[in-house]
């Protein structure tokens, strides 16, 4: 019996998530010339792939019920004090940062800062990040940012290989010190093998420099078990042998220790997690990579640089030459796209808030407490070694004693690390206290009465380091790190930056392929629940039962949604999902004796990460043509499949295509590949058009990644975090990524692709809540409305612009492409001019020039209400009229409202105004803009200037202008 209506929960979510009301939907269907949503989807999605049954998912539930259920799950996570270390530390997130960045949609709903004029806030924050990691590591050039410490080390290894090659040397070995974190070694092993790199690992004394086969070596400083030593001699030896030195390091320790740059390291990597970012059971956290100026061509990831705007003012933007390595396609050595922007912003702000003195005090306190603990342990008769350390100790004791200590630690809800030889490790952190030292000493003493006074320990220690280990150079002397130490000043700084950035709190961000949908508050709330935020990724499994239950449910839901047998939640972004999926395909072929299968077919329309990922797994990329409708050219596909039938490994296919079309022949495409011995990798970035309507697994894909930060509501955070889980068919399930520290995976597993077993576990609750709130019917309706919204906009705009591709029935999928190329000739207007002009109307541009140069790709998503779609269409139509004014000669081809866009408040209020259009046309082109104006912070940015004068750090103290 269905419940009577009045008993239905009043907080059901689909009507909150889906923008258009049922009345709007009716009106929009009429505009699109469609009788119903079902009918629209029936004619849009090819008949032979339609699911035609409801997804086997729970029904929708109200927000209160879902959060209540999640609380029950969260309560099964036990928040112990984790002193395990290994790159993950408890830290204190300043409230002003937690509430105003991490929990603030003005920051977390921003898009990647490609449109720099409306992204100056986060770009400044990222320059702060680059300056911070560059200063602390003593290496001037930094990126912002990488996905975790393990993959950052892997990126550094790829750099070493590339640098050796650029010097004309083929060096295919890489040494990893046995002092590195075990998960870093494991990620390096995964990444090395397909590149043909041999990893050597052992004590530093075992390095064989004389053979000149090492492209690089990786040291951990301080070591994973806590030791701090002088490695400058080793660095000199390496350099004499032509080997580069990578140092994995700890930012907090570097406030007291000589920096890697100062002892000659070529590259430094690490995680900025302990700068105010919760552990989150492994992530997300921003990793960093810094290097010398001379390697700027090889650095992976995004680098923010300084340039000038049209008015001559300083302005930040992503520097082109190094930006987005994956755009170099199969020549790329990295596939990083989505990074960890929000977390990099948090870490940078932590440094801004504490400043150099505050950071040093935190480090001194942690170090001093560690020395006290060591002294106490020595007095209790334990062997902690005579060595120097920062915050981590390794305690050797007989096994029976160790077992007792572990039992007592467990009783006091404290996690320690156990080394392979049975010794105990413990890492103190910002949250440690004198009281905690007492507790720890009691564990080791086995009694509550210590034979000494704790405070006596403080008197008998000597903090600091001898030369040459002590840090003597200054750091973070820039104004920005020395200004905002009162909370009021900090609050206002954060809000000042936020005010420069357009986010989903202002207007729709119709980014094709990026699915900028609602990131609902109910989805975000659990992220900072302590039960999710404060778990260490290597905490014992008895303490992480809540997470385990959440993973199991989410995996089963995603498996049902995609039609696959198994899911891995480990990859930290779509690009990493591609990597993991291709590695699984590779392992499958190898497992079946087909070592020679290494050709990857990729349509020319593919996203740049596809060929970059294929190159990273050692595949040879062969491009497949697209026809005039934007579909994969079947004749070319078949010809290539036949030509390479003995080497064919995989096809990478985006579906619906990056042209926004459900290709009717997709089943046939998969068949062709299977017939010739290959497997099909589906890039699931466009899954928002499939959920509930069709499934990659049914279509014929063998593996598919999802972007949880696109389809499943994790916010983009200004360019990360993201999660890129993969779904695989049964025959690939054994190969899903494993993890050596927790024993995840099977014997056939490819190694880990992320440092943590479940990647960015801390934000998985977002997608869990989304699916639970929407239920099977809500999810399907979301897809249908996403398709309707796109078709409605396409209908409204087709009278003014030409739509580049439509499906066999004249419909688009969930996104569509406007062709602006004809305007170049008629008016001199280019896609970028329209993108910049949209800022004057208060909108973020759609995707510019991908997948086709000179076009805009629009994806509205289901979350945008009809009123917002109309506002955007009205702006595009008004801009079309402005283009016509130029074409008809009413406005000049150069000095016009499009070429001069965006218009800042400074420009339109200047005393001089000598432009052939009014100030009102410039800044308030429609009444709705006047009612709600978003001012771009700077004028059009000169891209070339910034690339010619690459500056990636904050201005020094005296030249700073607020
Ligand atoms: C976003 C996207 C990717 C890459 O995903 P990231 O999470 O940014 O690494 C790959 N392919 C397509 C089509 C995409 O839109």
């Amino acid at each position: 019996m269905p419940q009577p209506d009045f008993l239905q929960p009043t907080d059901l979510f689909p009507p909150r998530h889906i923008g258009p009301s049922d009345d709007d939907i009716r009106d929009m269907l009429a505009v699109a010339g469609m009788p119903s949503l079902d009918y629209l989807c029936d004619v849009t999605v090819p008949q032979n792939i339609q699911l035609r049954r409801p997804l086997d998912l729970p029904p929708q539930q109200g927000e209160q019920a879902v959060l209540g259920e999640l609380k029950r799950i969260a309560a099964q996570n036990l928040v112990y004090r984790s002193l395990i270390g290994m790159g993950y530390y408890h830290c204190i997130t300043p409230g002003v940062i937690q509430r105003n960045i991490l929990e603030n949609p003005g920051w977390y709903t921003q898009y990647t800062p490609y449109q720099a004029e409306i992204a100056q806030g986060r770009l400044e924050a990222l320059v702060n990040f680059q300056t911070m990691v560059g200063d602390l590591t003593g290496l001037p050039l930094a990126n912002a940012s990488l996905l975790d410490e393990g993959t950052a080390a892997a990126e550094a290894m790829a750099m070493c290989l590339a640098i050796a090659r650029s010097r004309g040397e083929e060096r295919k070995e890489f040494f990893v010190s046995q002092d590195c974190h075990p998960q870093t070694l494991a990620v390096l092993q995964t990444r090395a093998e397909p590149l043909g790199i041999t990893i050597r690992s052992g004590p530093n004394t075992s390095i064989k420099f004389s053979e000149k086969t090492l492209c690089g070596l990786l040291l951990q400083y301080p070591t994973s078990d806590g030791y701090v030593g002088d490695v400058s001699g080793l660095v000199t030896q390496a350099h004499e042998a032509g080997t580069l030195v990578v140092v994995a390091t700890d930012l907090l320790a570097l406030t007291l220790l000589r920096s890697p740059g100062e002892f000659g390291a070529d590259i430094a990597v690490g995680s900025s997690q302990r700068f105010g970012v919760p552990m989150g059971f492994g992530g997300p956290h921003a990793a960093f990579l810094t290097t010398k100026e001379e390697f700027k061509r090889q650095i992976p990831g995004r680098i923010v640089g300084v340039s000038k705007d049209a008015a001559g003012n300083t302005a930040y933007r992503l520097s082109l030459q190094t930006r987005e390595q994956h755009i170099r396609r199969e020549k790329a050595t990295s596939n990083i796209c989505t990074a960890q922007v929000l977390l990099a912003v948090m870490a940078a702000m932590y440094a801004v808030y504490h400043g150099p003195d505050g950071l040093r005090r935190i480090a001194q306190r942690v170090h001093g407490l560690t020395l006290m603990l060591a002294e106490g342990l020595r007095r209790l008769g334990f062997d902690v070694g005579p060595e120097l350390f920062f915050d981590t100790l390794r305690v050797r004791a007989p096994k029976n004693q160790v077992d007792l200590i572990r039992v007592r630690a467990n009783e006091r809800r404290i996690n320690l690390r156990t080394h392979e030889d049975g010794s105990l490790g413990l890492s103190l952190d910002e949250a440690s206290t004198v009281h905690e030292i007492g507790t720890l000493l009691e564990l080791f003493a086995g009694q509550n009465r210590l034979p000494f006074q704790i405070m006596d320990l403080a008197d008998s220690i000597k903090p600091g380091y001898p030369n040459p280990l002590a840090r003597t150079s200054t750091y973070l002397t820039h104004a920005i790190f020395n200004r905002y130490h009162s909370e009021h000043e900090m609050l206002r700084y954060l809000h000042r930056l936020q005010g420069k950035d357009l986010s989903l709190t202002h207007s729709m961000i119709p980014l094709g392929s990026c699915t900028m949908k609602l990131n609902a508050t109910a989805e975000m709330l659990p992220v900072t629940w302590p039960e999710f935020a404060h778990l260490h990724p290597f905490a014992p499994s008895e303490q992480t039962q809540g997470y385990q239950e959440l993973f199991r449910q989410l995996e089963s839901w995603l498996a049902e949604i995609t039609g696959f047998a198994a899911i891995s939640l480990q990859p930290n972004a779509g690009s990493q999902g591609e990597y993991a999926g291709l590695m699984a395909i590779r392992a499958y072929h190898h497992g079946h004796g087909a070592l020679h299968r290494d050709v990857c077919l990729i349509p020319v329309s593919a996203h740049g990460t596809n060929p970059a990922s294929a190159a990273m797994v050692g595949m040879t990329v062969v491009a497949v043509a697209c026809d005039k409708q934007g579909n994969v050219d079947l004749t070319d596909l078949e010809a290539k499949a036949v030509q390479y039938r003995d080497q064919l490994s995989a096809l990478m296919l985006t579906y619906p295509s990056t042209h926004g079309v459900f290709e009717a022949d997709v089943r046939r495409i998969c068949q062709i590949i299977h017939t010739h011995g290959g497997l099909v990798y589906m890039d699931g970035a466009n899954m928002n058009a499939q959920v509930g309507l069709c499934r990659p697994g049914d279509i014929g894909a063998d593996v598919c990644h999802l972007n949880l930060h696109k389809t499943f509501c994790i916010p983009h955070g200004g360019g990360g975090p993201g999660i890129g889980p993969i779904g695989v068919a049964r025959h690939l399930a054994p190969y899903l990524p494993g993890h050596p520290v927790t024993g995840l995976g099977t014997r056939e597993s490819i190694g880990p692709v992320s440092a943590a077993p479940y990647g960015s576990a801390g934000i998985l609750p977002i997608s869990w809540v989304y699916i639970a709130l929407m239920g099977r019917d809500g999810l399907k309706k979301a897809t249908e409305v996403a398709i309707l919204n796109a078709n409605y906009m396409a209908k409204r705009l087709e009278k003014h612009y030409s739509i580049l591709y439509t499906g066999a029935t004249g419909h688009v999928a969930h996104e569509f492409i406007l062709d602006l190329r004809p305007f170049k000739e008629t008016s001199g207007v280019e896609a970028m001019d329209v993108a910049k002009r949209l800022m004057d109307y208060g909108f973020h541009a759609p995707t510019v020039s991908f997948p086709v140069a000179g076009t805009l790709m629009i994806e509205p998503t289901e979350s945008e209400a009809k009123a917002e779609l109309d506002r955007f269409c009205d702006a595009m139509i008004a801009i079309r009229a402005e283009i016509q004014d130029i074409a008809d000669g009413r406005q000049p081809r150069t000095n016009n409202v499009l070429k001069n866009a965006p218009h800042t408040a400074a420009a339109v209020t200047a005393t001089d105004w000598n432009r052939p259009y009014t100030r009102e046309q410039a800044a308030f082109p429609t009444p709705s803009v006047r009612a709600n104006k978003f001012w771009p912070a700077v004028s059009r940015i000169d891209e070339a200037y910034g690339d010619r004068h690459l500056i990636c750090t904050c201005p020094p103290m005296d030249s700073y202008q607020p």
Side-chain angles (χ1 to χ4, degrees):
M1 275 274 282
Q3 284 189 348
D5 241 12
F6 75 92
L7 285 181
Q8 286 288 321
T10 51
D11 60 352
L12 290 176
F13 183 66
R16 307 291 184 193
H17 176 82
I18 296 173
S21 67
D22 287 343
D23 286 345
D24 291 333
I25 290 173
R26 214 165 304 129
D27 295 348
M28 292 160 71
L29 283 166
V31 172
M34 287 289 143
S36 68
L37 269 182
D38 281 348
Y39 186 87
L40 172 65
C41 295
D42 191 47
V43 296
T44 306
V45 182
Q47 294 293 319
N48 66 352
I49 62 167
Q50 289 187 15
L51 180 61
R52 296 180 206 281
R53 67 159 174 87
L55 287 170
D56 184 10
L57 295 175
Q60 64 174 334
Q61 289 188 71
E63 293 190 21
Q64 192 179 245
V66 166
L67 288 177
E69 167 67 1
L70 190 60
K71 264 278 172 218
R72 182 193 66 73
I73 293 175
Q76 300 172 58
N77 284 339
L78 307 180
V79 188
Y80 278 32
R81 190 66 183 113
S82 279
L83 307 180
I84 299 169
M86 299 172 81
Y88 303 91
Y89 308 89
H90 196 89
C91 59
I92 299 169
T93 309
V96 66
I97 292 176
Q98 173 170 330
R99 175 148 298 180
N100 295 289
I101 297 179
L102 182 57
E103 298 175 338
N104 177 356
W107 281 93
Y108 65 67
T109 69
Q110 298 167 1
Y111 179 62
T112 306
Y114 294 135
Q115 297 297 333
E117 292 85 354
I118 49 174
Q120 290 294 297
R122 61 194 176 279
L123 286 166
E124 176 169 326
L126 292 175
V127 167
N128 294 348
F129 178 83
Q130 292 173 179
T131 307
M132 168 184 90
V133 296
D135 246 35
L136 288 172
T137 59
L139 287 160
L141 199 62
N143 67 11
S145 52
L146 293 175
L147 295 166
D148 59 29
E149 182 167 333
T151 55
E155 299 284 349
M157 175 178 69
M159 268 179 82
C160 292
L161 183 72
I163 293 167
R165 279 200 181 137
S166 72
R167 293 169 173 174
E169 292 184 319
E170 195 62 21
R171 290 176 174 239
K172 305 231 40 169
E173 290 185 5
F174 189 81
F175 181 86
V176 182
S177 167
Q178 68 178 23
D179 300 328
C180 291
H181 296 318
Q183 72 274 17
T184 303
L185 172 62
V187 171
L188 284 165
Q189 277 162 336
T190 309
R191 292 272 283 259
E193 194 258 335
L195 295 175
I197 298 177
T198 305
I199 299 279
R200 305 261 173 233
S201 186
N204 296 346
T205 47
S206 70
I207 306 177
K208 296 200 179 65
F209 286 120
S210 54
E211 291 167 9
K212 309 233 164 178
T213 49
L214 288 176
C215 61
L217 63 90
L218 176 71
L219 307 172
Q220 187 104 33
Y221 173 77
T223 64
S224 185
D225 63 355
Y227 172 63
V228 178
D230 176 15
V231 290
S232 53
L234 193 62
V235 174
T236 311
Q237 256 184 303
H239 285 166
E240 280 165 1
T243 297
L244 297 170
V245 178
V246 184
V247 174
T249 190
D250 178 304
L251 294 177
L252 194 61
L254 291 182
T255 62
L256 305 180
L257 289 172
R258 190 177 181 207
S259 71
E262 290 169 288
F263 59 73
D266 301 283
I267 303 171
V269 297
S271 164
S272 61
Q273 180 264 320
R274 71 188 317 180
F275 276 24
V277 181
M279 288 187 283
F281 199 42
H285 316 129
F288 60 83
L289 185 154
T290 64
T291 188
K292 298 171 172 170
E293 203 71 58
E294 59 180 299
F295 302 133
K296 68 180 175 201
R297 304 262 154 219
Q298 279 91 8
I299 193 167
R302 297 172 177 147
I303 300 184
V304 180
V306 180
S307 189
K308 284 185 187 311
D309 76 350
N313 297 314
T314 299
Y316 301 107
R317 28 59 94 194
L318 295 175
S319 50
L320 245 177
Q321 49 174 8
T322 47
R323 173 190 134 188
E324 311 292 45
Q325 258 238 11
H326 66 262
I327 287 170
R328 294 163 56 191
R329 303 185 82 85
E330 65 272 13
K331 293 194 187 62
T333 51
S334 165
N335 62 352
I336 291 284
C337 178
T338 287
Q340 301 281 21
V341 170
L342 191 72
L343 303 314
V345 169
M346 284 181 71
M349 291 308 176
Y350 178 92
V352 167
Y353 194 43
H354 288 296
D357 297 336
L359 292 177
R360 192 179 304 110
R361 286 209 342 264
I362 293 169
Q364 281 166 341
R365 181 182 150 86
V366 176
H367 182 49
L369 288 170
T370 311
L371 288 170
M372 283 172 66
L373 177 62
E375 176 62 21
L377 288 170
R378 282 194 197 104
R379 290 192 192 178
L380 292 174
F382 287 92
D383 171 15
V384 292
E387 300 144 351
L388 293 163
F389 38 76
F390 170 59
D391 63 354
T392 298
L393 299 176
R394 181 169 184 162
V395 190
R396 293 181 173 82
K399 180 163 182 332
N400 57 346
Q401 210 173 354
V402 165
D403 289 345
L404 276 175
I405 294 166
R406 296 175 55 76
V407 169
R408 293 194 287 259
N410 201 46
E411 281 165 5
R412 307 290 277 268
R413 294 172 75 96
I414 293 173
N415 292 325
L416 306 175
R417 175 178 179 184
T418 311
H419 288 279
E420 267 170 18
D421 66 355
S423 56
L424 288 171
L426 31 82
S427 296
L428 300 190
D429 56 47
E430 190 184 2
S432 295
T433 58
V434 172
H435 180 77
E436 182 169 88
I437 302 306
T439 308
L440 290 170
L441 288 170
E442 285 163 19
L443 299 182
F444 282 82
Q447 57 193 37
N448 293 348
R449 287 277 290 284
L450 295 172
F452 47 80
Q453 292 290 318
I454 300 243
M455 288 317 288
D456 286 351
L457 300 174
D459 295 332
S460 52
I461 60 163
K462 282 198 219 58
Y465 298 94
N467 279 330
L469 287 171
R471 178 140 196 159
T472 51
S473 57
T474 56
Y475 48 85
L476 309 186
T477 55
H478 319 75
I480 208 80
F481 296 105
N482 293 280
R483 277 205 171 169
Y484 307 121
H485 300 165
S486 80
E487 183 166 332
H488 243 154
E489 287 292 289
M490 186 68 189
L491 179 71
R492 289 173 189 150
Y493 178 55
L494 295 179
H495 279 263
R496 195 156 69 243
L497 292 192
Q498 181 190 330
K500 296 180 182 189
D501 287 20
L502 190 133
S503 70
L504 286 176
T505 64
H506 297 99
S507 52
M508 70 186 289
I509 301 184
L511 248 299
S513 210
C514 289
T515 316
M516 297 290 291
K517 56 165 67 175
L518 172 74
N519 315 119
T521 312
E523 293 153 6
M524 294 301 292
L525 290 174
V527 171
T528 44
W529 290 355
E531 301 91 323
F532 288 129
H534 297 318
L535 260 56
H536 191 287
F538 306 138
S541 65
E542 315 85 80
Q543 296 166 25
T544 65
Q545 291 301 307
Y547 262 123
Q548 305 299 336
E549 179 172 351
L550 182 128
F551 299 154
R552 274 196 303 276
Q553 280 190 10
L554 188 57
E555 284 172 9
S556 75
W557 293 344
L558 295 177
E560 167 66 8
I561 288 169
T562 53
F564 283 122
I567 301 280
S568 167
L569 298 170
Q570 192 181 89
N572 276 322
S575 63
Q576 308 304 295
E578 292 174 22
Y579 182 80
L582 290 177
M583 283 292 280
I585 289 177
R586 185 172 176 273
Y588 171 87
H589 286 313
H590 286 198
H592 291 74
L595 297 174
H596 47 283
R597 289 202 172 270
D598 67 350
V599 163
C600 188
L601 301 182
I602 303 183
V604 290
S605 60
H607 193 267
T609 50
N610 291 187
S613 300
M616 287 170 65
V617 303
M619 292 186 185
T620 304
V621 174
V622 173
V624 177
C626 288
D627 66 15
K628 280 204 285 297
Q629 284 77 48
N631 296 323
V632 171
D633 181 333
L634 274 188
T635 319
D636 192 46
L637 179 80
E638 185 136 35
K640 299 261 161 73
V642 171
Q643 182 185 348
Y644 294 104
R645 63 182 169 271
D646 297 329
Q647 294 135 274
L648 185 61
S649 178
L651 165 76
M652 292 188 90
L653 183 73
T654 305
Y655 200 74
S657 74
T658 50
H659 292 148
V661 174
F662 278 102
E663 290 173 71
D665 290 326
V666 63
R667 268 186 188 279
R668 172 101 190 89
I669 290 173
C670 296
Q671 270 162 16
I672 291 173
I673 297 306
H674 289 151
T675 304
H676 295 96
L679 298 185
V680 176
Y681 182 97
M682 187 174 282
D683 178 329
N686 290 343
M687 194 66 204
N688 211 45
Q690 292 196 48
V691 178
L693 301 183
C694 60
R695 310 192 303 170
D698 299 343
I699 293 170
D702 300 279
V703 46
C704 172
H705 82 258
L706 303 172
N707 297 63
L708 298 189
H709 47 304
K710 296 179 181 175
T711 314
F712 294 94
C713 295
I714 291 175
H716 275 64
I723 303 185
I726 54 173
V728 293
R730 196 159 305 283
H731 50 280
L732 289 179
Y735 304 104
L736 286 176
H739 200 283
V741 178
T742 61
L744 177 74
T746 69
R747 285 184 45 194
E748 279 91 34
S749 285
I750 61 166
V753 299
S754 303
Y758 290 92
S760 295
I763 51 174
L764 282 171
I766 301 170
S767 297
W768 185 94
V769 172
Y770 173 62
I771 296 172
L773 284 172
M774 294 295 278
R776 56 176 173 249
D777 301 331
L779 286 174
K780 174 161 181 254
K781 184 166 176 186
T783 311
E784 292 172 337
V785 175
I787 293 174
L788 173 65
N789 276 2
N791 278 281
Y792 170 76
M793 289 182 82
K795 251 306 176 269
R796 276 208 63 193
L797 292 173
E798 74 182 8
K799 299 186 227 28
H800 310 273
Y801 295 89
S802 61
I803 312 281
L804 206 47
Y805 305 106
T806 51
T809 55
H811 298 99
V812 300
H814 65 310
E815 62 189 4
F816 59 99
I817 297 177
L818 294 185
D819 190 359
L820 304 184
R821 289 170 298 187
F823 303 135
K824 178 89 194 282
E825 169 129 11
T826 59
S827 58
V829 168
E830 297 180 59
M832 198 51 88
D833 300 319
V834 175
K836 301 303 175 193
R837 183 58 178 152
L838 273 167
M839 296 174 186
D840 289 333
Y841 285 80
F843 285 108
H844 193 291
T847 305
V848 181
S849 290
F850 173 81
V852 184
T855 66
L856 295 181
M857 176 159 60
I858 298 175
E859 178 183 3
T861 85
E862 70 278 8
S863 299
E864 297 304 337
K866 177 170 179 293
E868 184 68 1
L869 302 179
D870 283 334
R871 251 175 23 89
F872 185 84
C873 290
D874 292 344
M876 286 301 294
I877 292 165
I879 291 173
R880 179 67 188 87
E882 292 171 353
I883 298 172
Q884 199 57 39
D885 281 346
I886 303 166
D888 295 347
R890 287 185 294 275
Q891 284 285 323
R893 280 175 78 100
T894 49
N895 183 20
N896 59 53
V897 79
L898 279 127
K899 289 287 174 195
N900 293 336
H903 296 82
T904 60
V908 297
T909 57
T911 311
D912 293 327
W913 182 262
N914 51 11
R915 300 184 179 177
Y917 50 89
T918 65
R919 296 170 199 259
E920 180 164 34
Q921 274 172 309
F924 303 106
T926 63
S928 71
V929 178
R930 191 174 281 283
N932 182 23
K933 178 68 184 172
F934 178 86
W935 287 104
V938 296
S939 303
R940 184 91 60 110
I941 295 174
D942 185 339
E943 297 285 349
Y945 179 89
D947 282 339
R948 281 197 308 275
H949 308 86
L950 188 63
I951 302 175
C952 315
T953 51
C954 304
M957 194 67 166
D958 43 8
S959 72
Y960 181 75
Q961 314 141 6

